[in-house]
Amino acid sequence: MDKIMMKTPLVEMDGDEMTRIIWKMIKEILLLPYIELKTDYYDLGLENRNATSDEVTIQAAEAVKKYGVAVKCATITPNAARMTEYDLKEMWKSPNGTIRAILDGTVFRAPILAFGITPYIPTWTKPITIARHAYGDIYKNVEMSASRGEKCELVCTAKDGTEERSVIYDFEDSAGIIQGIHNKDISIEGFAKSCFHYALDTKQDVWFATKDTISKKYDHRFKDIFAEIYEKDFKEKFEEAGIEYFYTLIDDAVARVIRSSGGYIWACKNYDGDVMSDMIATAYGSLAMMTSVLVSPDGKYEYEAAHGTVQRHYYRYLEGEKTSTNPVATIFAWTGALRKRGELDEIPELVRFSEFLEEAVLETISDGVMTGDLAAISVLENKRAVDTESFLQEIDDRLRKKI
Ligand code: NAP
Ligand code: MG
């Protein structure tokens, strides 16, 4: 059997702990036997980030700009405990944050649906992909406490010194609290473009919602920018692709989401996305079955699992235990990236391989073979929990038959 050849390298970002172990297993068992893998490799493991003073993260992000498609392993975001555990020079920032800032991208999270794992909302037969605008609003707020008797105003000062003022509240009768938030047209535009690009890419409708009836300038600006960009750059392409852009109020959107069967992209303002992505992930069953794709406004893609490095399993692994850690989202990060690379470089065998591998994963689970987290929620009667390596071998048995 000839191995599949690649043209452009895929940017590969290695990571930490249990997911780093799984990363290697996936490559050895499911990829390297079939593909002459061509990657531009960056070791984003915490040790190497510390050794390179986090330069490696910046280099990796620059490589995504250059090559357009990346696959990333979960990485540790350092906190105080990690400072001592890894003897860090500095509390390095979250790699995902750094990469997102450089690519100016939007993160799309989608659940992987498998037979026997029933969502809490039984009508959700297709995935709901959540896109969270990751800039501004309360995440870059300024807050103050106001004492009784204080008057609080919003003041905008122009370059020439002229001021525009508006009273927020006159705290005559009680002390209170105030908050200043902002967003930028350029960031909202980038968010809208990423959403529309990804919708075309995955042939799904886009839903977007704000509270523009109450917030007539702030939220209304989001609505207007989305509408302008859609009309100007995407309307025709959407019509050709047979997909839609749909805008409504956030409370109406929530009601419709619950009644829907899924199969669309739900674009959310920052806070809505923070809250709703956790609801969606839980409702579909398992965090280990969530994929995540970072898409930049100019169409660069970085694929990863939504979960972290599964630290608790890693400590058990270090003690010699065979863990039953779920590799599905990490496998789908690879298949997402390889499929995209195959599409861009016109390598149909690579696209087909990605599909076969995804099918093999889902067949393994529907045959009742799965990791412990899935066995705990699967409704199948013949289910059997296996360790990660056995699970990957079972996937490979099914993959081999397809190829
Ligand atoms: P986590 O790694 O997502 O794991 C939390 C728990 O969820 C696990 O202990 C496990 O539960 C379950 N779980 C998650 N993924 C699983 C999988 N693939 N298979 C089976 N069970 C899975 O989150 P965390 O423990 O809060 O964070 C660990 C590290 O990951 C942190 O250093 C954090 O900074 C980092 N992190 C990275 C990313 C990223 O790179 N994108 C995202 C989030 C967190 P049980 O232990 O009950 O089995
Ligand atoms: Mg959240």
Side-chain angles (χ1 to χ4, degrees):
M1 188 186 65
D2 287 339
K3 284 199 198 180
I4 300 165
M5 301 301 289
M6 291 178 66
K7 293 174 189 166
T8 318
L10 182 62
V11 179
E12 175 185 354
M13 307 182 199
D14 210 340
D16 288 301
E17 300 193 310
M18 204 58 222
T19 41
R20 187 179 180 99
I21 307 296
I22 291 176
W23 194 259
K24 193 158 170 279
M25 287 185 192
I26 291 173
K27 284 174 69 178
E28 279 168 7
I29 299 172
L30 297 173
L31 303 177
L32 292 171
Y34 304 103
I35 305 170
E36 200 60 56
L37 209 56
K38 195 167 163 186
T39 70
D40 189 19
Y41 178 90
Y42 295 87
D43 182 0
L44 264 54
L46 186 51
E47 268 173 44
N48 193 45
R49 276 183 277 147
N50 192 49
T52 61
S53 298
D54 211 20
E55 272 302 310
V56 66
T57 308
I58 294 163
Q59 286 163 5
E62 293 298 338
V64 187
K65 277 190 171 170
K66 180 172 166 196
Y67 292 118
V69 187
V71 58
K72 180 181 169 290
C73 180
T75 46
I76 293 170
T77 298
N79 56 14
R82 302 297 197 171
M83 293 290 291
T84 18
E85 185 184 353
Y86 284 84
D87 191 19
L88 301 180
K89 294 187 268 185
E90 246 179 72
M91 202 184 286
W92 309 110
K93 286 190 209 146
S94 146
N96 286 31
T98 304
I99 296 165
R100 196 165 60 213
I102 293 174
L103 293 176
D104 182 27
T106 296
V107 174
F108 296 82
R109 273 175 156 219
I112 300 156
L113 272 61
F115 183 74
I117 317 287
T118 319
Y120 284 96
I121 313 284
T123 50
W124 289 358
T125 53
K126 287 173 275 179
I128 296 172
T129 301
I130 286 249
R132 173 179 171 188
H133 181 217
Y135 179 82
D137 303 349
I138 63 160
Y139 302 88
K140 284 216 183 295
N141 67 358
V142 181
E143 302 186 328
M144 282 184 201
S145 302
S147 307
R148 184 174 174 173
E150 283 180 339
K151 185 170 83 171
C152 300
E153 293 174 286
L154 270 182
V155 183
C156 242
T157 314
K159 274 257 155 61
D160 67 4
T162 47
E163 287 178 352
E164 187 190 341
R165 288 172 172 270
S166 195
V167 175
I168 298 171
Y169 196 73
D170 200 339
F171 289 89
E172 279 175 331
D173 57 343
S174 166
I177 40 185
I178 58 163
Q179 180 183 59
I181 59 171
H182 79 280
N183 222 300
K184 299 195 289 188
D185 286 3
I186 190 173
S187 175
I188 303 166
E189 286 161 15
F191 176 50
K193 284 180 192 165
S194 295
C195 289
F196 292 139
H197 267 305
Y198 195 62
L200 284 172
D201 199 51
T202 57
K203 300 271 180 299
Q204 299 185 91
D205 294 347
V206 174
W207 293 17
F208 182 47
T210 72
K211 195 72 183 175
D212 67 277
T213 45
I214 298 295
S215 172
K216 292 190 167 63
K217 288 213 171 88
Y218 198 102
D219 275 22
H220 214 290
R221 188 94 192 114
F222 280 81
K223 177 183 178 181
D224 290 345
I225 288 176
F226 263 71
E228 280 160 27
I229 291 192
Y230 177 69
E231 288 295 325
K232 190 157 75 68
D233 299 329
F234 290 93
K235 192 167 188 242
E236 277 173 33
K237 291 179 199 149
F238 267 52
E239 282 167 3
E240 268 168 42
I243 57 174
E244 277 182 7
Y245 168 55
F246 171 63
Y247 177 86
T248 186
L249 288 170
I250 185 67
D251 36 357
D252 180 49
V254 170
R256 285 172 187 264
V257 163
I258 293 294
R259 291 196 305 265
S260 77
S261 57
Y264 49 86
I265 294 166
W266 185 9
C268 290
K269 286 181 64 201
N270 210 349
Y271 177 79
D272 299 339
D274 185 348
V275 177
M276 292 305 165
S277 61
D278 286 329
M279 183 200 61
I280 297 277
T282 309
Y284 275 101
S286 170
L287 181 60
M289 295 292 276
M290 273 296 220
T291 61
S292 168
V293 190
L294 175 72
V295 183
S296 73
D298 59 346
K300 309 272 192 266
Y301 295 79
E302 185 222 62
Y303 296 81
E304 70 170 323
H307 61 76
T309 60
V310 211
Q311 182 183 18
R312 295 209 308 162
H313 293 213
Y314 182 59
Y315 289 161
R316 299 211 308 262
Y317 167 86
L318 289 180
E319 281 166 16
E321 190 183 322
K322 280 200 163 195
T323 70
S324 185
T325 316
N326 188 338
V328 171
T330 308
I331 296 173
F332 274 64
W334 273 100
T335 53
L338 289 169
R339 179 191 290 110
K340 186 90 227 158
R341 198 63 276 166
E343 284 167 6
L344 293 173
D345 293 349
E346 296 177 3
I347 312 171
E349 311 88 83
L350 198 55
V351 176
R352 215 172 319 121
F353 173 83
S354 307
E355 265 144 35
F356 285 157
L357 179 48
E358 289 180 358
E359 285 168 20
V361 170
L362 297 179
E363 280 169 22
T364 308
I365 299 170
S366 62
D367 287 347
V369 182
M370 59 196 84
T371 47
D373 58 314
L374 294 183
I377 54 173
S378 169
V379 298
L380 297 181
E381 279 182 7
N382 61 338
K383 65 188 174 187
R384 177 159 63 91
V386 295
D387 63 70
T388 306
E389 198 173 341
S390 311
F391 182 61
L392 294 173
Q393 293 294 357
E394 292 266 358
I395 295 169
D396 186 48
D397 291 345
R398 289 161 181 81
L399 175 63
R400 207 158 277 275
K401 289 193 190 116
K402 294 173 184 290
I403 292 173

